[in-house]
Amino acid sequence: MELTPIQKDIIIALINLQRQKDRAIKGEEIAEVIKRNPGTIRNQMQLLKALGLVEGVPGPKGGYKPTGAAYDALRIQQLKNESVVPLYRNNALVSGATAADISFTTVRSPDACSGVVRVIGNTKDFIMDDKLQVGPTPVNRLIIRGEVTGRDDTNNSILFNITEMISLPKKHVKHYMKYPPLLVNLNASIQEATRLFIRNNVHGAPVEDKGKIIGIVTYTDIAHAIAQGKPNVKVKDIMTKELITVDGDMQLYDVVKLFHKYNVGRLIVTINGVPKGTLSKTDVLNELAVY
């Protein structure tokens, strides 16, 4: 079905407004969005209803709603359960918009990679050289960043040069944790702990008492003790007793944010509430180092 440009504008605006407001949309609201005369919208709506692309809703709260055929006409998949894939323009969230699909072009070029994102929502504010971010997507947590190179208003699409793509694995944290973890006894001296760190090339480790994890000690803790003139203290005297734990069934994407939130380099991973392993920033970086 070949639609005229104004019909496409009307249907796109209707879909966007209906998604934002979750109700029937009046012709005047559509006219305001696409900068057209309300009379023109009413005339076009009669044609769109005859084509089966919109349906009228009577009553004081009435208006228009898009049909499934309207989504088909714009080649937009209509989902019962839908996650929003956000768009950001110059670091500001674009309200009421979601990416419908993303295409990559020039992927074989050694110097550049371009993309096209088709949007459900307003794209008219995007101009050349705007900074664009798409995502994160719900499953693979893909984030794409780039610079806008153009717009295709007939398809409600944005063209852009891709400068950065980030995606974290879908598997749960328990698949990446170190088990069994390297442990330091609470009665160990800081010299013994340091030798253990050097031997295993780590910057910290959980502290155990009779096989139970009761704290965590790091190079930073040891450095503070030495700087305070306390070279003979034991691990139990300088360890951090408040454990920051994450459930093993959490996704890596959600856990990575905790490193920044708590300003730590190592987390304790629990299985059924029991500490079983560790995850460090280095573990995450090693997982992402795919060549």
Side-chain angles (χ1 to χ4, degrees):
M1 182 184 303
E2 189 66 33
L3 300 176
T4 65
I6 187 173
Q7 288 172 338
K8 283 185 178 180
D9 284 347
I10 289 172
I11 293 176
I12 289 170
L14 176 60
I15 289 175
N16 294 340
L17 288 167
Q18 202 271 332
R19 285 167 53 86
Q20 292 175 36
K21 301 178 182 295
D22 194 25
R23 59 169 173 77
I25 303 301
K26 298 187 180 301
E28 290 80 2
E29 294 176 281
I30 297 172
E32 184 178 351
V33 169
I34 68 172
K35 304 295 189 291
R36 291 278 187 161
N37 186 284
T40 302
I41 303 301
R42 285 192 292 271
N43 292 335
Q44 289 293 331
M45 280 302 185
Q46 297 305 313
L47 295 172
L48 293 172
K49 281 199 288 185
L51 293 171
L53 300 179
V54 302
E55 59 183 24
V57 179
K61 294 184 179 180
Y64 303 97
K65 285 187 176 182
T67 65
Y71 283 84
D72 293 339
L74 296 178
R75 301 191 309 278
I76 297 172
Q77 186 180 13
Q78 191 174 16
L79 303 174
K80 289 184 179 179
N81 297 314
E82 178 184 289
S83 296
V84 172
V85 180
L87 281 87
Y88 295 83
R89 174 179 174 266
N90 297 328
N91 299 319
L93 178 67
V94 181
S95 178
T98 182
D101 56 64
I102 307 166
S103 303
F104 300 102
T105 59
T106 65
V107 291
R108 292 184 296 132
S109 168
D111 302 313
C113 183
S114 302
V116 179
V117 55
R118 202 150 59 92
V119 179
I120 304 175
N122 180 29
T123 62
K124 299 293 177 68
D125 291 335
F126 283 91
I127 60 174
M128 187 82 72
D129 296 329
D130 273 349
K131 305 297 182 185
L132 170 69
Q133 175 178 312
V134 184
T137 58
V139 177
N140 299 107
R141 302 297 186 177
L142 174 66
I143 293 176
I144 305 171
R145 298 188 180 105
E147 297 176 351
V148 174
T149 58
R151 278 198 335 255
D152 179 358
D153 290 340
T154 60
N155 290 309
N156 219 47
S157 299
I158 302 169
L159 291 69
F160 64 109
N161 282 327
I162 297 170
T163 57
E164 184 179 0
M165 285 193 290
I166 306 168
S167 180
L168 289 174
K170 185 182 176 182
K171 289 182 180 178
H172 296 148
V173 171
K174 61 188 176 186
H175 295 288
Y176 306 107
M177 72 177 185
K178 286 186 177 179
Y179 176 81
L182 177 70
L183 299 175
V184 182
N185 186 269
L186 83 164
N187 289 312
S189 67
I190 59 175
Q191 290 79 14
E192 290 171 327
T194 301
R195 286 195 290 269
L196 185 69
F197 292 170
I198 293 172
R199 190 161 56 246
N200 291 276
N201 194 29
V202 297
H203 294 269
V207 180
E208 62 89 17
D209 180 23
K210 300 176 182 177
K212 182 180 179 182
I213 296 175
I214 60 170
I216 195 164
V217 65
T218 67
Y219 268 135
T220 301
D221 300 321
I222 293 172
H224 284 166
I226 294 174
Q228 292 171 4
K230 301 176 182 178
N232 298 319
V233 296
K234 295 186 179 297
V235 165
K236 64 182 178 182
D237 301 316
I238 62 171
M239 70 179 186
T240 300
K241 296 179 181 179
E242 295 180 2
L243 296 177
I244 301 175
T245 64
V246 295
D247 190 276
D249 287 326
M250 288 180 68
Q251 287 196 349
L252 194 60
Y253 171 84
D254 297 311
V255 172
V256 164
K257 293 186 288 187
L258 298 179
F259 286 118
H260 177 71
K261 178 180 179 180
Y262 294 108
N263 192 29
V264 295
R266 191 174 305 272
L267 299 167
I268 304 296
V269 182
T270 62
I271 305 295
N272 296 323
V274 180
K276 290 291 186 180
T278 60
L279 182 77
S280 69
K281 286 182 178 178
T282 303
D283 297 331
V284 175
L285 289 174
N286 289 339
E287 182 58 36
L288 296 179
V290 179
Y291 297 94

